Amino acid sequence: MVTVRALPMGDRALLLEAAALDDVVTLHAALESARPDGVTDLVPAARTVLVRVDPARTSLARVRAWALAAAAAAADAARPARDEVEVPVVYDGADLAETAALLGVTVDELVRRHSEAEWTVAFTGFAPGFGYLVSDDWPFDVPRLDAPRTRVPAGAVGLAAGFTGAYPRETPGGWRLIATTDAVLFDPDAASPALLSPGARVRFQPVRAEARRESRRNAGGEPTPGSPRGVSPLFPTGDAGSTAGARGFEVVEPGLLATVQDLGRSGVGGLGVAGSGALDRAALRTANRLLGNPEGAAGLEITLGGFRAVAGADLWVAVTGAWGPVRIDGRPVDPYTAEPWPAGAELHVDWVEHGARAYLGVRGGIDAPIVLGSRSADLMAGLGRPALRAGERVDVGDAASVPIPAAPPAPWGAPHDDELTLELAPGPRADWFDAEALVVLFDSVWTVSNAADRIGARLDGPALARVRHDELPSEGMVPGALQVPPSGRPTVLLADGPVTGGYPVIAVVTDASLDLLAQARPGTRIRFRHARPPA
């Protein structure tokens, strides 16, 4: 059996905490082998497994009982047999010699130990497909770099603490780099997108640099630009995924930020992939209903306005969410109404006056490549279509399923962005804070800082005092989690936020309140109140 502690993580998830990483691997395998309907994702981490739940299909109480029973029955034998993954590497990393000296061994000894060890992917996080690998054969605890690199190339193999891992794409990073690989580590179009997924057994196979160069020549040369070391591009170029033909529009000015978003990805947290999707889901759903689209059809999320585009064909559009002037061919039009957009006319979503994010729905839905079940852009991970730029064409699909409805008198008004009241559900690490911290959290007025984007919103206000100051092993995160760094001032994670994190979560914004938070802009005041316990 695996002894676990079930901790709350908002109103749609719970966190199962085990004593050791090896227990997490066993627990995750046991949960995955008997996952019931309504459990949408399982995200293993250093000491925990995050269990995400769809409350429309099951309840947190039912899932908690299932998870505890599965933990009690779990055993090493429950781990499914997995084929061994061989990763070819050249031991040419920038930190190889320095790391060997730091550990008091020769370079040859470090290479031998690393390549002869049998590794297991304990969990993924940090970036899509980035696996944290552990081994009973590996005796070293390797300190991270004092100053992280701003650029670690894709395919770099590194060491940190008791882990090894390989970077699927170019990112910043603080691991000590000892090798490189040409292996495709993450391909969102593959049946199994992550080469190194949780539970996989892995060996690193040393190859000579000359052999790799010969292999590249035989394969047609060096990896293509944008796909370094053989890592596949995450956004296909050209017309991949497009079915719209001539229907669409051309971006004249994208404004501050315009991205394609639908209702996001589900069940991919275990691969290190965030859910993404529209931050104000209600606004996107409403735009689609006004146009006769399915609620989950893709639209554009326009941050703070300033967007202009010209229609290439006769279209119908609706603008919802943030409130500001909207014009078609210079004519003012109302928000929250379906409006014709004639071919050749310019649509202008001006700078918004209330709220932060406007949603442009188009009858038929925005057509963009489907990546891991969604058309949503995840700018942090490089998934989906990148942020729109001037001169780019946006195609329109054929998702409309019913005629444009005869809309009733609009009950909608400008979003409240001066002061919001958001509900908080319990977080897993409230006991890391002193008793006064929770009083301060609910009694204070917080202010959204300038550090607010699709990843998260940092709040300005009083510091929340901690009673524990040790390092928290990385654990699963959810949108709405209030992470509290050493400064004591919380950050609310949003749809593009990291799948795992190492700051304690004192509380979690409820799912219903996240749409309100999507319309908060720098300077918006926030008050918190306790959420009602689930029925």
Side-chain angles (χ1 to χ4, degrees):
M1 67 176 291
V2 176
T3 302
V4 300
R5 189 165 64 120
L7 304 171
M9 179 63 96
D11 60 342
R12 295 195 172 204
L14 59 89
L15 201 65
L16 301 176
E17 183 179 47
L21 180 56
D22 194 58
D23 291 334
V24 169
V25 175
T26 299
L27 174 63
H28 177 248
L31 295 173
E32 194 68 76
S33 68
R35 186 196 296 201
D37 180 58
V39 172
T40 59
D41 212 352
L42 297 170
V43 183
R47 295 289 183 274
T48 59
V49 178
L50 176 73
V51 183
R52 298 189 67 173
V53 175
D54 179 357
R57 293 151 61 191
T58 189
S59 68
L60 272 177
R62 188 176 294 117
V63 169
R64 183 179 186 275
W66 160 76
L68 293 176
D76 287 342
R79 299 188 193 182
R82 299 282 295 270
D83 292 337
E84 188 171 85
V85 178
E86 284 196 356
V87 179
V89 295
V90 175
Y91 285 95
D92 58 356
D95 305 318
L96 179 62
E98 182 182 339
T99 303
L102 188 69
L103 299 177
V105 299
T106 65
V107 168
D108 288 345
E109 175 71 3
L110 179 59
V111 169
R112 184 185 68 80
R113 291 286 194 103
H114 188 263
S115 61
E116 290 184 357
E118 181 179 286
W119 298 89
T120 299
V121 182
F123 58 95
T124 57
F126 172 64
F130 186 96
Y132 289 74
L133 282 65
V134 295
S135 174
D136 291 337
D137 306 323
W138 184 252
F140 302 116
D141 188 346
V142 182
R144 288 173 169 82
L145 296 174
D146 292 335
R149 290 180 170 89
T150 57
R151 175 185 175 275
V152 175
V157 178
L159 300 170
F163 301 105
T164 193
Y167 288 76
R169 64 191 299 260
E170 182 180 307
T171 61
W175 290 32
R176 294 182 182 270
L177 307 182
I178 63 167
T180 54
T181 182
D182 275 351
V184 177
L185 298 166
F186 187 77
D187 178 359
D189 296 322
S192 299
L195 179 66
L196 307 180
S197 59
R201 296 183 300 115
V202 180
R203 283 193 186 274
F204 292 94
Q205 182 64 43
V207 298
R208 296 172 62 86
E210 295 81 0
R212 180 163 69 183
R213 284 194 291 269
E214 180 66 24
S215 175
R216 288 176 176 176
R217 283 194 294 270
N218 293 339
E222 294 292 316
T224 57
S227 182
R229 304 195 190 281
V231 180
S232 65
L234 301 187
F235 175 66
T237 57
D239 294 328
S242 174
T243 60
R247 297 186 67 231
F249 54 90
E250 182 176 315
V251 178
V252 177
E253 294 180 7
L256 187 65
L257 176 68
T259 60
V260 177
Q261 301 293 339
D262 54 22
L263 295 180
R265 300 177 174 87
S266 178
V268 292
L271 300 175
V273 177
S276 299
L279 293 190
D280 187 343
R281 296 155 299 175
L284 177 63
R285 286 187 173 108
T286 300
N288 281 321
R289 287 199 302 269
L290 290 168
L291 295 164
N293 292 337
E295 288 190 351
L300 294 188
E301 181 179 272
I302 301 167
T303 301
L304 296 179
F307 179 86
R308 295 175 182 266
V310 174
D314 290 343
L315 302 172
W316 281 82
V317 293
V319 178
T320 60
W323 204 268
V326 179
R327 300 178 183 86
I328 295 177
D329 210 17
R331 174 179 61 88
V333 297
D334 291 330
Y336 285 89
T337 58
E339 296 283 349
W341 183 13
E346 182 182 85
L347 167 71
H348 183 198
V349 181
D350 209 341
W351 300 105
V352 303
E353 297 168 353
H354 299 281
R357 293 173 176 91
Y359 291 85
L360 173 63
V362 184
R363 180 166 170 80
I366 299 298
D367 189 35
I370 297 174
V371 181
L372 296 176
S374 171
R375 302 183 195 275
S376 292
D378 181 343
L379 303 183
M380 182 179 180
L383 295 174
R385 181 169 184 163
L388 300 185
R389 296 179 297 180
E392 289 187 343
R393 180 177 180 80
V394 178
D395 290 332
V396 173
D398 55 3
S401 55
V402 297
I404 293 176
W412 301 284
H416 298 288
D417 58 5
D418 293 333
E419 184 168 301
L420 300 174
T421 299
L422 307 178
E423 291 191 335
L424 289 183
R429 302 299 173 189
D431 59 349
W432 280 52
F433 300 84
D434 68 21
E436 185 65 20
L438 282 172
V439 175
V440 171
L441 178 64
F442 285 98
D443 285 355
S444 299
V445 177
W446 302 87
T447 304
V448 177
S449 73
N450 289 326
D453 55 21
R454 286 186 47 84
I455 297 170
R458 192 176 69 204
L459 305 182
D460 287 334
L464 300 176
R466 285 165 56 168
V467 295
R468 289 187 59 175
H469 299 279
D470 46 316
E471 185 174 348
L472 177 70
S474 290
E475 56 191 28
M477 292 290 140
V478 296
L482 264 73
Q483 277 195 327
V484 184
S487 70
R489 291 172 176 82
T491 292
V492 186
L493 298 184
L494 297 175
D496 284 357
V499 173
T500 60
Y503 293 134
V505 173
I506 188 171
V508 182
V509 175
T510 61
D511 188 75
S513 289
L514 285 175
D515 288 346
L516 297 174
L517 185 58
Q519 296 301 345
R521 54 202 296 169
T524 297
R525 297 184 299 277
I526 304 287
R527 289 183 181 273
F528 295 118
R529 70 182 180 199
H530 293 276
R532 293 181 180 178

